[in-house]
Amino acid sequence: MDLTGKVALVTGSGRGIGREIAIRLAEAGASVVINDVGNPEPPNEVVAQIKQMGHPSMVAMGDVSQSVDVNRIVDTTVAAYGKLDILVNNAGITRDQLVLRMTDEDWDKVMAVDLKSVFVCSRAALRHMIRQRWGRIVSISSIVGIIGNVGQANYASAKAGIIGFTKATAKEVASRNVTVNAVAPGFIDTAMTQQLPEERRQEMAGKIPAGYLGTPRDVAEAVAFLASEEARYITGQVLTVDGGISLGKLM
Ligand code: NAD
C-alpha cells in the first residue's frame, strides 16, 4: 500500500487508535494532519514522530463536533498541503450508563462527538475530494454499534449511525472516485478500555475467539488498506476488526 503524495487528516489522533492510524498512514508515505482537543502536547509528539520518519505532518487542534472548528481544520490542511485525500473519522468518547439512568447530556455529548463529527468532517472533506475526483473516508465505528452492549445505548446508537451515514454517503459520491467505509473494532487495548477493571478486561479477553484484546495497530492496518488505491472498488462497507467476538457462539 503506497500513499506517497496523499494528504490525510486523522481526527482524535493525539493518542490511542488514532495515533497509530496516523503513524501507519505516514509509514505508507502520506502527509498527515493530527487533530485533537485539549492538551496539545500528545498531538505535538505524534507530529514529531512522523517528521522523524521523514514525512510532513502538522497539528490542527479543534473540537470535531463543531462545524466552525472542522471547517478551520480542513481549510488549514488544504492551505498547508494543497489538498485533502484521506479523512479518518476516529475521534470518539464514551459516557456509559444504563438507559434508565442516562441523562440527556450523556446522550447529546456522545451523539455530537461520535456521530455529528463524522457528518461535519466528511462534508468539509468531500468539498475537496469531489472536486479532485479522488478521496477516501474511513470512519471508526464499533462492534457495539452492530451487536449492542449493556450501558452503552448512546455509544451504540452513535456507532450504528456511522454505519448508516457510511452507506448513504458512499452511494452519493461513488461516481466521483470517492469511497466511504467504516471499520468496526472490537475490544482494543487503549486508554478507553484500560479504564475498565482488570477483572473485566480478563473476562472480555475470554470471550474473544482469538483469545486476546486487539492492538491499535490491528485497526490501523485495516484503515490503511481502505485508504489505499488497492481498495478503490470497496465502498459503503463495514470491516470488523475484532478477533471474532461479533461472530457470537452457539452455546
Ligand atoms: P482514546 O480515548 O484513547 O482516543 C480518542 C481521542 O479522541 C483522544 O485523543 C481524544 O482527546 C480525542 N477526542 C475526543 N473528543 C474529541 C473531539 N471532540 N474533537 C477532537 N478529538 C477528540 O480512544 P481510542 O480507544 O483510541 O478510540 C478511538 C476510536 O475508536 C473511537 O472512535 C472509539 O469509539 C473507537 N473504538 C475504540 C475501541 C476500543 O476498544 N478502544 C473499540 C471500538 C471502537
Side-chain angles (χ1 to χ4, degrees):
M1 288 174 281
D2 183 9
L3 299 179
T4 306
K6 300 293 185 201
V7 176
L9 165 63
V10 185
T11 69
S13 50
R15 68 176 199 191
I17 294 171
R19 174 180 183 277
E20 197 63 30
I21 292 169
I23 289 168
R24 181 66 185 85
L25 297 182
E27 280 174 13
S31 303
V32 188
V33 177
I34 307 301
N35 155 263
D36 216 296
V37 274
N39 182 3
E41 226 16 72
N44 280 329
E45 281 166 25
V46 181
V47 164
Q49 194 175 336
I50 292 175
K51 282 185 171 165
Q52 222 165 28
M53 291 160 52
H55 300 291
S57 184
M58 60 182 266
V59 173
M61 296 295 287
D63 179 347
V64 288
S65 66
Q66 304 295 323
S67 344
V68 178
D69 285 20
V70 168
N71 292 338
R72 176 182 44 76
I73 292 161
V74 170
D75 288 350
T76 308
T77 302
V78 174
Y81 299 127
K83 58 183 185 153
L84 175 56
D85 301 301
I86 300 163
L87 167 68
V88 183
N89 291 308
N90 165 81
I93 57 163
T94 51
R95 290 281 184 280
D96 295 356
Q97 192 53 268
L98 295 172
V99 170
L100 284 176
R101 294 194 197 131
M102 191 175 284
T103 63
D104 288 21
E105 204 203 348
D106 292 332
W107 176 271
D108 291 344
K109 185 72 185 162
V110 169
M111 282 296 159
V113 177
D114 293 16
L115 181 56
K116 186 188 171 196
S117 68
V118 174
F119 156 59
V120 291
C121 290
S122 301
R123 182 179 58 185
L126 280 170
R127 289 185 185 125
H128 299 279
M129 292 173 176
I130 284 179
R131 208 174 307 133
Q132 71 199 24
R133 294 280 196 275
W134 200 96
R136 296 283 183 269
I137 296 177
V138 184
S139 303
I140 310 301
S141 175
S142 167
I143 56 156
V144 170
I146 301 170
I147 62 174
N149 197 23
V150 171
Q152 294 199 301
N154 50 359
Y155 184 75
S157 303
K159 294 298 185 180
I162 289 178
I163 295 172
F165 177 86
T166 296
K167 292 178 190 235
T169 312
K171 287 187 178 178
E172 288 187 20
V173 300
S175 65
R176 312 298 172 92
N177 235 356
V178 178
T179 69
V180 188
N181 290 290
V183 169
F187 292 111
I188 307 298
D189 198 3
T190 68
M192 195 178 259
T193 43
Q194 280 157 14
Q195 294 166 9
L196 299 166
E198 186 51 32
E199 197 183 308
R200 177 93 177 89
R201 282 164 53 85
Q202 293 289 341
E203 190 193 320
M204 270 160 32
K207 287 183 180 158
I208 302 169
Y212 57 90
L213 270 68
T215 63
R217 187 73 181 191
D218 292 321
V219 180
E221 293 295 348
V223 173
F225 169 61
L226 291 171
S228 70
E229 183 55 31
E230 285 83 347
R232 68 176 192 172
Y233 209 55
I234 301 172
T235 196
Q237 301 303 304
V238 185
L239 179 53
T240 299
V241 180
D242 71 348
I245 196 170
S246 60
L247 296 171
K249 55 180 180 175
L250 278 176
M251 47 179 281

